[in-house]
Amino acid sequence: MRAILNVWGCAGMRKTQNLSTPTRPYFHTPILSLLFLIVVTLFFVPVQAEAEIDSIRSITDTRLQMPTWDQLIRVLTLRDYNTRVVVLGTLFLGSASGVIGTFMFLRKRALVGDAASHAALPGIGLAFIVMASVGGDGKYLPGLLLGAFISGLIGMGFILLIRHFTRLKEDAALGIVLSVFFGLGISILGVIQKMNIGHAAGLESFIYGKTASMLAQDAYLMGGAALVVTLLCGLLFKEFSLLCFDQDFACSQGWPVLFLDTLIMALVVAVTVMGLQAVGLILMVALLIIPPAAARFWTHHLYKMIFISAAIGSASGLLGAALSALVPRLPAGAIIVLITSSIFLMSLVFGPARGVLSRSIEQWTLNRKVASQHLLRAMYEWAEIHKNTQKSDDPLKGMTIRDLFGVRSWSHKQLKRILLRAQRQGMIYRGGDRTYHFTENGEWQSKRVVRNHRLWELYLVTHADIAPSHVDRDADQIEHVLERSMVDKLEKLLLSEHPNIGVIPPSPHDIGSKGLKQRSRK
Amino acid sequence: MTLMSLDIWIVTTGVLSALSCALLGNFLVLRRMSMMGDAISHAVLPGLAVAFLITSSRSNMPMFIGAGVVGVLTALFTQWIHRVGRVEQGAAMGVVFTTLFAIGLIIIVQAADAVDLDPGCVLYGAIELVPLDTAPFLGLHIPRAVWTLSLVFLVNVLLVILFYKELKISSFDEDLATTLGLNASCMHYLLMILVAITTVASFESVGSILVIAMFIVPGATAYLLTDRLHIMIGVSLVIGIMCAVGGHIAAVRLPAWWGLPDTSTAGMMAVVGGLLFFVALIASPRHGVASKLLHRFWLSVRITREDVLGILYRIEEFQPVRNHGVVPRILRDAKQTGPVIRWLALAQLMQAGKVKKASSGIQLTSKGRVHARNLIRTHRLWESYIEKHFVIPIDHLHAPAERLEHVTDPDMQKLLLEKTTNPQKDPHGKNIP
Amino acid sequence: MKASQAIGSEHSSTAPVSIHDMTVAYHRKPVLWDVDFDAPEGKLIGIIGPNGAGKSTMIKAVLDLIPKASGRVSIYGKPYKRQRRLVAYVPQRETVDWDFPVHALDVVTMGRYGQIGWCKPVTRAHKDQAMAALERVGMADYARRQISQLSGGQQQRVFLARALVQEAQIYFMDEPSSGVDAATEKAIITLLQDLRSSNKTVLVVHHDLQTVSDYFDYLILLNMRIVAAGSTRDVFTKENLHKTYGGRLTLLDEAAQAIAR
């Protein structure tokens, strides 16, 4: 039976079918290890306050001085109760936001987290009013978080609504929801402050964060959130990645795109709400955006990217919390963000996959290779021409600098550098008469280069219908990046069609020195 | 100073900052850069803090310079990360503004002794305190914020008028602007500087975060209401004023309904803006949800009206014994029209004297017959046209022709006649009346 | 009675793809009018027409990716929603972000996701299937390469392999030969012809008129409506081409405007 009516309805049926086939890796290993790490770390969260609370200096302390070695050790080994809670809490938060942020980042909706965090504010205020007016504790955290979550979701709903019903674009929808919800939140907080239903002070910590006074239950909450987010992303890894990569295709396969989208959004809102009180509303945005953006520079694999992003998020959470515990008057939220963005900057420069440095090194090596291949080819082709005009038994004349300038338009400095390098590499040597000759190795290399070039030209002429007068330029760009396997394929193809082209096929176009020079001026 | 004048100054400040923001906001919305407004309003914090640190005064000029510099830096960094790091624009923006904001926060907290700058005040303003800080002018005590904002508003108006066509073209099509020899990126940065300065000027009143509401909401609302740029700007300004006035009234009066104390004017300005936007979303004459629904409703009434005429005409044409009783049934079953629409359509037809009640049901009057003949004619002409130009089975011709006959105006009918070379019979072999 | 005709006669076609009176509109403005078409089984069908003629729109509407203003589509006589497994889709290459951090094999494996089902992981077996498909399009050497490092032709082949791995009966392809080199185009067409010979139905949006008669054995000429449809020999005529490419029908454009109003 082929019909699939309902993906949910069939899940049971498929499970039984799948029993026969072994399903070895249930999760991608990084996600599995991430889960494991979170669970293990959860055990470090202290249940009770220990006696050493006072050893952490108060935040009102205004002396600016370097922490002593002893303090450093204490913080880094998490010996203090407070530090341990704060550090672990931010660590969990960083990893959760790193994971879900990756999908948001790849869905090109990085700023949705921004809107979500602002949209959560009225929910907090309303939840406080509701809880306080029914006589409960207005600041009962799960209640506040629930309110925040609901209003965040409503905000997301409005974004979808505005996008669907108006001609406004995503950016305006985000901006409207963000600002109007935030305004509503501010108004509600304003009302609360003047109400006489008890101590509303502290609600503002949802805007700035109150990392330093995090409680064990907060850390547990964040650990739980991290666990749930990672678990869901692990289970739905395949679905989420398909959605982010190619929505249309996902839709044509029958995945409920809207549901998946909403699920991702809901997870983002959940993580945001958890993080609000830790790093504050505005800086929570950073934790959702920056770690994935930084992770992208390190890898080309989605699951590795998730892991790296989580690692960056938790590392900066850890470092930032520790730093703000050590240095007085360093707001933890801000310092966490700063550490995250320094990691981002480092990744941007040094990231091996897409980093600026690795890309420019790549480009630089290629340029060097291209330049020296140009030299070899120019010398070979020059010799080829002169062989015809010379008597055959004369020794081949070397090329002078002037000759070299005649065949290709290179700058003086450029040519000198290329020549020196080629000499160092033992491709050419300088004869007594100030001319340049191939060494044995150089001659062999030059033949290979010319052969590749001409094969490629021939291919372009015979197979790609490119006019012979243009092939040189096209070949010029591609021949240097031809891979071994491609050359082999090319040879096989062309040899079968032109059995007598010889080791170095003749050029399909005129290679007179004038022509060469003209062509090399792109 | 009476309470009344206090309110007036608060509202004036709100109006001025809403006006300055809304003016620029139009271009932000049109350029799809609304979130840039958000980013800059967050990112100016370090600019302010540094300006404070250097001059250790709250004078305006250093703050504007600091904000302008940071505004441009935000745009530059975003562009740079986007290009060099190949990071998507939104994410690049997020990286930049959160980082700058964090830097600003750290500076403020670290230098709390030297700088009298409350981050809370920067973030969501203290419009209620504005009237307390006054500077004398012509014997009047005018709040300093009003001075500043008027100045900024004037500058914005001047620059927008001066560069109106450049802004217009570069917002519409950056490439076109470049080919016309205008420096589009120059306009971009000019706008960013203005946004940053306006943000700073407004932070005392609406706060740097709520400023984004004044940037985006009036512009977006106006965008829903009109299709012309200069009208849009005008409308957005009016909406800005409405936000400010309504916001203050709402802040004072609204919570009192539930016996609650008054609340933040700045917050309520954003809320009023949101409400106005929502109203526009529903009721905008051309793009509103309600007007679209209404339009569709009257359209289906009209279509039903024309269907009735068509059916009656066909019955007269087809059946020697005129059985008009079937009309409601056909309408219900074949056309699937609801009872309200059916009733309305029939009532309108009767009022226009196009049909009349007879013993066997309803009948065409002679006036109605003329109209009906024209409809049938259009229908059959369309059938001929579609038959000529489409590959479609002959029994499928009816449905598209049915849809088209209702939207055909006389001009189109003339053209239709031309294209079908005035046939006498439709593809089914029926006469074209 | 005439009025009863308005309901339209009920088709009971079991053609691989059967489109009835399908009209597609953007913002209520029709862009594709009353498409009525039964695809023959086991044919390589080309969809050609000028820019903006609604070629991609037609495919997308059939696959429910954009809403239809009217009409319905059936796959082997049943609604498309119940026959998704039988249909594979190759979107235009430009529609996805090729900077996405996955490698070629991952992309091809996505073709199996529909069959794998909710929350189930991708197994070795699925990867092997994907690998086989990559081999079939001659891309096995590039399986572990990040997709942004592939050339346009190679990316297109990856997409093709992703469709192959779906093991469908019907293939919809949106301009598979746009922006690829001649060799890749040839390889793609050979592959499509292979599919046809194993009795699959393949619908391809194509833009190069010169190669049409070599590639396809059945054609749909499209310009806001179907101008002609039939075997290439019958419909690939000068007259039909003139009708298709000779500009848009002003009357239809005007009518579309009037409907959108």
Side-chain angles (χ1 to χ4, degrees):
Chain A
M1 211 179 75
R2 268 187 153 145
I4 33 161
L5 286 159
N6 180 332
V7 237
W8 285 109
C10 279
M13 191 185 79
R14 269 201 228 105
K15 198 170 269 170
T16 50
Q17 284 174 347
N18 244 42
L19 279 180
S20 51
T21 53
T23 52
R24 206 173 40 82
Y26 208 86
F27 282 127
H28 286 275
T29 17
I31 290 183
L32 196 63
S33 44
L34 204 59
L35 273 176
F36 176 73
L37 278 178
I38 292 173
V39 172
V40 168
T41 330
L42 266 177
F43 285 108
F44 284 99
V45 179
V47 185
Q48 284 182 326
E50 287 157 32
E52 299 166 272
I53 299 176
D54 55 342
S55 64
I56 281 291
R57 300 186 325 180
S58 139
I59 0 178
T60 50
D61 192 347
T62 54
R63 280 168 300 154
L64 190 64
Q65 63 183 63
M66 278 309 287
T68 59
W69 185 244
D70 187 41
Q71 283 174 319
L72 196 71
I73 297 290
R74 289 177 83 89
V75 167
L76 289 185
T77 53
L78 305 181
R79 230 177 285 158
D80 297 317
Y81 166 77
N82 246 6
T83 326
R84 205 189 297 179
V85 167
V86 170
V87 165
L88 290 180
T90 47
L91 186 140
F92 289 136
L93 185 69
S95 90
S97 55
V99 170
I100 194 64
T102 304
F103 287 110
M104 277 326 252
F105 175 76
L106 291 174
R107 193 109 177 77
K108 306 217 181 313
R109 297 231 176 109
L111 289 175
V112 165
D114 193 11
S117 57
H118 286 81
L121 199 60
I124 294 170
L126 283 180
F128 178 87
I129 292 182
V130 168
M131 285 189 299
S133 59
V134 298
D137 176 15
K139 282 198 285 188
Y140 177 60
L141 189 63
L144 291 182
L145 293 188
L146 185 70
F149 182 71
I150 292 173
S151 95
L153 272 190
I154 293 175
M156 299 294 100
F158 269 109
I159 291 176
L160 291 180
L161 220 73
I162 292 174
R163 272 217 331 249
H164 187 253
F165 280 113
T166 72
R167 51 195 186 134
L168 289 166
K169 302 296 175 300
E170 172 112 9
D171 65 308
L174 284 175
I176 290 167
V177 167
L178 179 153
S179 55
V180 172
F181 272 66
F182 189 76
L184 188 63
I186 293 291
S187 309
I188 294 175
L189 288 193
V191 169
I192 291 174
Q193 269 166 358
K194 292 183 183 167
M195 275 163 80
N196 46 5
I197 46 168
H199 47 295
L203 277 187
E204 256 146 40
S205 71
F206 280 95
I207 300 173
Y208 302 116
K210 45 149 193 173
T211 322
S213 53
M214 202 186 282
L215 301 175
Q217 67 167 44
D218 301 341
Y220 273 122
L221 211 59
M222 284 170 198
L227 212 60
V228 169
V229 166
T230 316
L231 198 73
L232 269 175
C233 287
L235 274 173
L236 295 171
F237 179 81
K238 164 171 116 279
E239 288 80 359
F240 283 172
S241 55
L242 180 60
L243 175 75
C244 294
F245 176 60
D246 192 346
Q247 185 185 330
D248 272 1
F249 188 73
C251 192
S252 82
Q253 273 195 347
W255 295 104
V257 170
L258 192 68
F259 170 75
L260 287 173
D261 231 2
T262 318
L263 193 62
I264 295 188
M265 290 246 208
L267 286 178
V268 169
V269 174
V271 170
T272 312
V273 166
M274 295 287 157
L276 276 188
Q277 46 156 1
V279 293
L281 190 157
I282 300 115
L283 303 178
M284 186 58 224
V285 181
L287 274 186
L288 278 169
I289 299 177
I290 306 180
R296 186 66 190 89
F297 293 109
W298 293 90
T299 176
H300 286 311
H301 298 283
L302 180 53
Y303 52 91
K304 282 186 200 155
M305 180 178 161
I306 290 178
F307 187 69
I308 294 172
S309 157
I312 291 175
S314 34
S316 30
L318 193 145
L319 272 177
L323 256 178
S324 85
L326 282 172
V327 184
R329 299 212 303 187
L330 216 48
I335 202 70
I336 291 174
V337 174
L338 271 196
I339 290 176
T340 323
S341 26
S342 345
I343 297 180
F344 173 83
L345 208 62
M346 257 163 47
S347 312
L348 179 99
V349 177
F350 299 109
R354 280 157 64 97
V356 174
L357 200 64
S358 80
R359 280 214 321 266
S360 23
I361 288 177
E362 227 166 73
Q363 191 60 45
W364 186 65
T365 358
L366 182 69
N367 284 349
R368 268 174 64 149
K369 190 174 138 197
V370 168
S372 78
Q373 288 190 349
H374 277 159
L375 175 74
L376 291 178
R377 187 154 60 82
M379 284 179 68
Y380 184 92
E381 286 181 345
W382 186 82
E384 210 176 28
I385 296 166
H386 285 256
K387 239 185 253 168
N388 299 337
T389 56
Q390 247 173 354
K391 284 190 202 92
S392 55
D393 47 339
D394 272 1
L396 196 57
K397 266 197 328 195
M399 264 179 109
T400 60
I401 294 269
R402 186 191 291 264
D403 290 333
L404 279 167
F405 275 121
V407 291
R408 209 176 175 92
S409 56
W410 19 40
S411 77
H412 202 78
K413 240 166 84 185
Q414 207 182 2
L415 181 60
K416 222 160 137 188
R417 222 172 34 231
I418 298 169
L419 282 172
L420 271 175
R421 201 165 48 234
Q423 276 171 303
R424 247 196 341 265
Q425 288 169 339
M427 304 271 207
I428 56 174
Y429 64 91
R430 207 164 116 146
D433 49 350
R434 294 180 137 194
T435 57
Y436 292 91
H437 303 264
F438 280 128
T439 60
E440 209 167 296
N441 179 25
E443 187 163 3
W444 183 80
Q445 289 276 358
S446 73
K447 277 184 183 156
R448 205 177 53 94
V449 168
V450 173
R451 181 177 156 80
N452 279 0
H453 178 77
R454 301 238 171 114
L455 279 177
W456 186 246
E457 280 184 340
L458 193 61
Y459 172 78
L460 288 178
V461 171
T462 53
H463 285 79
D465 291 331
I466 292 175
S469 52
H470 288 309
V471 289
D472 184 59
R473 212 176 54 206
D474 291 332
D476 231 27
Q477 285 155 1
I478 299 165
E479 63 181 62
H480 309 291
V481 293
L482 279 185
E483 289 155 31
R484 193 65 241 160
S485 60
M486 283 262 307
V487 176
D488 288 345
K489 237 184 254 169
L490 208 57
E491 277 177 357
K492 225 164 53 195
L493 178 77
L494 291 172
L495 280 178
S496 64
E497 289 168 12
H498 313 269
N500 49 357
I501 48 173
V503 181
I504 296 183
S507 178
H509 54 82
D510 167 42
I511 51 164
S513 55
K514 199 172 142 214
L516 253 180
K517 187 165 179 175
Q518 233 168 26
R519 275 176 285 121
S520 56
R521 252 192 238 126
K522 289 180 183 156
Chain B
M1 207 179 274
T2 62
L3 191 73
M4 203 46 217
S5 75
L6 211 80
D7 279 335
I8 285 177
W9 284 129
I10 291 176
V11 168
T12 313
T13 318
V15 165
L16 279 171
S17 88
L19 284 177
S20 341
C21 293
L23 186 63
L24 302 179
N26 287 306
F27 297 102
L28 288 181
V29 169
L30 287 178
R31 287 165 158 253
R32 298 176 193 177
M33 285 190 339
S34 312
M35 290 310 273
M36 204 56 172
D38 175 45
I40 286 184
S41 65
H42 284 105
V44 288
L45 198 58
L48 291 186
V50 169
F52 264 128
L53 272 185
I54 292 174
T55 62
S56 54
S57 78
R58 290 181 64 163
S59 57
N60 284 327
M61 218 45 216
M63 274 165 53
F64 285 154
I65 292 172
V69 168
V70 176
V72 171
L73 280 184
T74 311
L76 271 176
F77 282 149
T78 305
Q79 204 53 35
W80 183 74
I81 290 180
H82 173 60
R83 237 193 17 252
V84 174
R86 293 193 278 179
V87 176
E88 183 241 337
Q89 196 113 30
M93 205 185 283
V95 172
V96 173
F97 87 77
T98 51
T99 307
L100 284 172
F101 186 82
I103 292 174
L105 212 56
I106 289 178
I107 295 177
I108 289 179
V109 176
Q110 278 289 340
D113 299 333
V115 179
D116 176 29
L117 194 65
D118 174 19
C121 173
V122 176
L123 287 185
Y124 40 85
I127 201 169
E128 291 79 3
L129 304 180
V130 160
L132 303 182
D133 183 13
T134 56
F137 175 71
L138 292 178
L140 275 169
H141 284 281
I142 295 176
R144 276 159 33 112
V146 172
W147 275 118
T148 327
L149 279 168
S150 319
L151 199 73
V152 168
F153 179 55
L154 266 179
V155 169
N156 284 352
V157 168
L158 253 161
L159 284 174
V160 166
I161 290 176
L162 213 61
F163 293 107
Y164 182 72
K165 67 175 189 306
E166 282 86 354
L167 276 170
K168 188 175 174 181
I169 288 180
S170 66
S171 304
F172 170 64
D173 185 346
E174 210 149 286
D175 294 336
L176 176 72
T178 313
T179 53
L180 289 178
L182 298 168
N183 195 339
S185 67
C186 188
M187 289 312 357
H188 176 76
Y189 289 114
L190 176 72
L191 196 61
M192 291 302 110
I193 292 177
L194 288 182
V195 166
I197 288 177
T198 311
T199 305
V200 175
S202 307
F203 85 82
E204 269 182 301
S205 44
V206 290
S208 76
I209 294 186
L210 287 175
V211 114
I212 182 191
M214 290 302 104
F215 272 126
I216 301 172
V217 177
T221 312
Y223 185 58
L224 293 184
L225 292 173
T226 171
D227 290 332
R228 307 281 301 274
L229 179 59
H230 58 271
I231 300 177
M232 176 174 158
I233 291 177
V235 172
S236 75
L237 293 181
V238 173
I239 290 170
I241 295 173
M242 284 162 78
C243 288
V245 177
H248 186 62
I249 295 173
V252 177
R253 292 292 156 89
L254 197 62
W257 290 354
W258 293 287
L260 299 174
D262 61 343
T263 180
S264 143
T265 296
M268 281 321 274
M269 277 170 71
V271 175
V272 169
L275 288 178
L276 289 175
F277 175 79
F278 196 70
V279 170
L281 181 106
I282 300 293
S284 153
R286 229 171 102 59
H287 303 287
V289 175
S291 58
K292 273 183 193 160
L293 284 178
L294 207 67
H295 176 78
R296 221 164 286 179
F297 177 77
W298 286 118
L299 189 70
S300 49
V301 171
R302 203 189 85 212
I303 288 176
T304 310
R305 233 162 46 213
E306 295 179 353
D307 280 345
V308 170
L309 293 177
I311 294 166
L312 286 173
Y313 188 88
R314 288 199 182 91
I315 292 171
E316 284 185 359
E317 184 186 58
F318 191 71
Q319 277 186 332
V321 184
R322 292 180 181 178
N323 177 10
H324 302 289
V326 294
V327 174
R329 198 167 51 84
I330 294 174
L331 282 180
R332 194 179 61 234
D333 298 343
K335 310 275 184 198
Q336 274 147 19
T337 44
V340 179
I341 291 175
R342 241 172 17 229
W343 179 84
L344 259 175
L346 281 177
Q348 283 179 345
L349 279 176
M350 264 189 284
Q351 204 186 11
K354 288 184 178 166
V355 296
K356 59 174 190 259
K357 268 213 171 87
S359 53
S360 59
I362 43 177
Q363 265 178 4
L364 285 175
T365 61
S366 56
K367 190 176 164 198
R369 200 165 291 122
V370 175
H371 189 175
R373 185 182 297 131
N374 193 32
L375 278 170
I376 296 292
R377 177 177 166 75
T378 315
H379 179 91
R380 293 188 179 157
L381 281 174
W382 271 116
E383 284 192 340
S384 316
Y385 179 82
I386 291 166
E387 204 256 341
K388 187 175 158 201
H389 288 281
F390 287 36
V391 174
I392 196 166
I394 202 153
D395 58 330
H396 284 205
L397 284 174
H398 185 81
E402 188 81 10
R403 194 165 47 233
L404 286 164
E405 71 181 46
H406 300 297
V407 294
T408 313
D409 54 27
D411 282 348
M412 259 160 80
Q413 200 185 32
K414 214 184 282 164
L415 195 65
L416 189 60
L417 211 57
E418 244 169 62
K419 297 281 178 191
T420 48
T421 56
N422 198 1
Q424 296 309 307
K425 299 232 176 227
D426 77 353
H428 302 287
K430 297 215 178 71
N431 281 322
I432 293 179
Chain C
M1 194 176 143
K2 168 80 199 200
S4 72
Q5 246 180 24
I7 310 171
S9 52
E10 205 59 43
H11 280 246
S12 56
S13 165
T14 53
V17 184
S18 165
I19 306 170
H20 307 290
D21 290 340
M22 184 176 79
T23 295
V24 188
Y26 279 124
H27 302 292
R28 293 172 37 84
K29 187 171 166 182
V31 287
L32 200 59
W33 295 80
D34 299 285
V35 169
D36 205 273
F37 172 74
D38 282 354
E41 185 156 25
K43 287 273 187 326
L44 188 44
I45 302 165
I47 303 172
I48 58 173
N51 282 341
K55 296 172 297 210
S56 302
T57 308
M58 178 173 145
I59 287 192
K60 284 187 181 156
V62 166
L63 295 173
D64 269 351
L65 297 177
I66 49 177
K68 298 185 264 290
S70 69
R72 70 213 135 77
V73 170
S74 59
I75 304 291
Y76 286 110
K78 287 184 193 144
Y80 165 70
K81 279 201 168 60
R82 288 165 55 190
Q83 302 277 53
R84 279 214 164 97
R85 283 265 175 104
L86 301 181
V87 179
Y89 170 49
V90 180
Q92 274 183 28
R93 195 154 46 83
E94 295 79 31
T95 54
V96 303
D97 170 21
W98 288 96
D99 259 346
F100 202 82
V102 285
H103 51 55
L105 188 63
D106 287 336
V107 175
V108 179
T109 317
M110 285 176 187
R112 294 302 299 176
Y113 283 9
Q115 278 91 327
I116 297 172
W118 282 94
C119 300
K120 302 266 178 52
V122 176
T123 63
R124 181 91 264 146
H126 301 129
K127 296 231 158 164
D128 289 345
Q129 283 170 325
M131 200 63 206
L134 269 179
E135 229 153 84
R136 220 174 137 190
V137 296
M139 288 283 297
D141 296 344
Y142 301 89
R144 300 273 164 197
R145 195 174 285 199
Q146 208 266 326
I147 49 175
S148 66
Q149 294 164 358
L150 300 172
S151 72
Q154 289 168 335
Q155 290 175 346
Q156 194 64 58
R157 288 188 202 208
V158 168
F159 258 17
L160 223 58
R162 183 176 74 171
L164 285 182
V165 90
Q166 285 183 273
E167 290 170 356
Q169 285 298 312
I170 303 159
Y171 290 81
F172 286 95
M173 312 206 171
D174 204 343
E175 304 229 15
S177 56
S178 85
V180 305
D181 55 287
T184 305
E185 179 167 338
K186 221 170 211 170
I188 290 174
I189 291 299
T190 317
L191 194 81
L192 299 187
Q193 282 162 348
D194 280 356
L195 284 174
R196 173 188 53 189
S197 29
S198 48
N199 208 33
K200 316 272 189 208
T201 308
V202 187
L203 287 98
V204 183
V205 172
H206 196 68
H207 61 277
D208 183 9
L209 281 182
Q210 290 186 328
T211 48
V212 161
S213 47
D214 299 337
Y215 292 169
F216 303 108
D217 31 35
Y218 202 92
L219 277 187
I220 302 174
L221 298 177
L222 207 66
N223 188 354
M224 300 160 76
R225 81 288 181 197
I226 292 190
V227 176
S231 71
T232 308
R233 217 175 320 125
D234 298 339
V235 296
F236 198 59
T237 60
K238 216 171 195 166
E239 191 198 351
N240 277 340
L241 283 177
H242 187 76
K243 267 167 87 178
T244 314
Y245 285 86
R248 299 167 69 87
L249 296 179
T250 28
L251 202 54
L252 277 191
D253 266 338
E254 266 180 45
Q257 284 292 354
I259 288 178
R261 225 174 275 140

